[in-house]
Amino acid sequence: MTESPVFAAGAVCWRLIEGRMHVLLIHRTVYGDVTIPKGKVDPGETLPQTAVREIEEETGLAVALGVPLGISTYAMPGGREKIVHYWAAEVSPEAIQRSTFVPNGEVAAIEWVTIKKARTYLSYTPDVEIIDAFAKLVDAGVTRTFALIALRHGKAVQPGNWDGPDSTRPLTERGVTQAAGLVGTIAAWRPRRIISSTATRCVTTVAPLSAATGIQIKRTETFSQDAYEQGLADVRSGIGKRVRSRKSAVICSHGPVLPEILHEIALATGTTFGSFVADAASLDTGAFSVVHLSAENPSAGIVAIETHAPAA
């Protein structure tokens, strides 16, 4: 019987040193090798959660995830398959100052090197391929990014089972579980704003995230289903404001409104509206898509989109 694969996650941590791009490598104690920070998924974790946790455990650095860089798949010494998901992650000067790293039984040293040196220092070819993927972003000038996280509210009571106004429909027990399960994953991108439709099912979905981060929920009709169906929702201006701010934000809305939200993000950034944008709007309740945009030049178009399944 074939063993199930081992899932892991990590990131290419980067910063500019004297104007030059550097990435962070770790020298592992036990294996005597040089690699990119990463680690195995703990029970109950999502891949983004794992990436952020492992980076902090291995390097002492607290980071926010950026653009996804790809997946490495290879056989472990015992023959079991290992699948590793990677993101880019900018390391701020504040994170450097707060770093808690000391050499330990797992990591002997951490080292900032140029991309050119990283290619020769790394012990494994799959790691070099991930560095190459990051180098393409550097060459394109889109390393510094922000994320607009389009979230569909959690599972709600069906309209036929609710006597009050549609906007007051509450989450089901499953929806409440989904809302709680979103917190750790969405926090991996460190959103700075939480914007929600005024509908109860949307506000309740982001309430646990608000409580965990201390970010107040901005309730608005801009992304509400009622306003949208009445032709009163100004999605364009709402998205324009979010793109201009260049700050990562969560936008919690409804199934019928999400295609318009993604369409307006595409228009605001000069992105051709293709199937990949439309697919990102087709979300189950409790699911979300992370749209990555260049912080220095949002009009360069959508850098990447990743979609994450509901927590439950």
Side-chain angles (χ1 to χ4, degrees), residues 26-33 57-58 101-109:
I26 63 170
H27 297 253
R28 294 198 295 182
T29 307
V30 175
Y31 299 101
D33 57 9
E57 288 180 1
E58 292 190 339
F101 175 78
V102 290
N104 55 70
E106 185 177 356
V107 180

Side-chain angles (χ1 to χ4, degrees), residues 37-311:
K38 63 180 179 293
K40 288 184 282 189
V41 174
D42 279 349
E45 270 188 335
T46 61
L47 290 159
Q49 282 179 285
T50 299
V52 170
R53 176 185 56 76
E54 283 288 343
I55 290 163
E56 187 155 15
E57 288 180 1
E58 292 190 339
T59 71
L61 297 168
V63 300
L65 297 184
V67 176
L69 294 177
I71 303 169
S72 289
T73 303
Y74 53 90
M76 298 169 65
R80 197 173 177 187
E81 185 180 46
K82 189 169 187 178
I83 301 172
V84 191
H85 291 245
Y86 288 97
W87 285 263
E90 182 178 9
V91 178
S92 67
E94 294 77 19
I96 294 290
Q97 292 172 357
R98 294 194 300 265
S99 174
T100 58
F101 175 78
V102 290
N104 55 70
E106 185 177 356
V107 180
I110 59 176
E111 183 176 10
W112 290 98
V113 300
T114 63
I115 290 175
K116 182 177 179 180
K117 286 184 178 178
R119 290 184 172 118
T120 61
Y121 282 11
L122 286 165
S123 301
Y124 307 107
T125 300
D127 285 356
V128 177
E129 292 170 351
I130 294 299
I131 291 293
D132 288 343
F134 176 70
K136 290 179 181 178
L137 287 179
V138 176
D139 292 342
V142 289
T143 46
R144 184 165 286 125
T145 59
F146 67 101
L148 296 183
I149 301 170
L151 166 65
R152 186 176 179 186
H153 62 76
K155 183 71 175 175
V157 172
Q158 292 296 316
N161 297 330
W162 185 250
D163 294 332
D166 184 74
S167 62
T168 64
R169 278 194 289 130
L171 296 181
T172 63
E173 185 177 343
R174 182 184 174 206
V176 171
T177 301
Q178 289 174 333
L182 288 166
V183 175
T185 306
I186 290 181
W189 289 277
R190 296 209 174 183
R192 304 273 299 279
R193 299 286 186 272
I194 300 174
I195 300 101
S196 173
S197 157
T198 52
T200 299
R201 55 193 182 277
C202 287
V203 175
T204 311
T205 297
V206 291
L209 179 66
S210 173
T213 61
I215 300 170
Q216 288 190 339
I217 302 168
K218 180 181 179 182
R219 308 180 191 199
T220 175
E221 290 290 338
T222 302
F223 303 116
S224 84
Q225 184 171 335
D226 284 352
Y228 178 74
E229 292 176 345
Q230 294 166 18
L232 301 175
D234 192 356
V235 176
R236 176 164 294 178
S237 68
I239 293 301
K241 183 176 181 180
R242 298 273 54 86
V243 172
R244 287 194 303 275
S245 75
R246 307 184 192 207
K247 294 175 182 177
S248 292
V250 176
I251 302 169
C252 187
S253 189
H254 310 260
V257 189
L258 285 164
E260 187 72 12
I261 289 172
L262 269 294
H263 187 230
E264 290 300 336
I265 293 174
L267 288 177
T269 57
T271 305
T272 302
F273 189 79
S275 60
F276 79 107
V277 177
D279 289 346
S282 181
L283 299 172
D284 293 331
T285 52
F288 63 93
S289 289
V290 185
V291 184
H292 298 273
L293 306 174
S294 168
E296 289 159 349
N297 184 20
S299 64
I302 293 171
V303 180
I305 301 178
E306 53 184 303
T307 298
H308 294 263

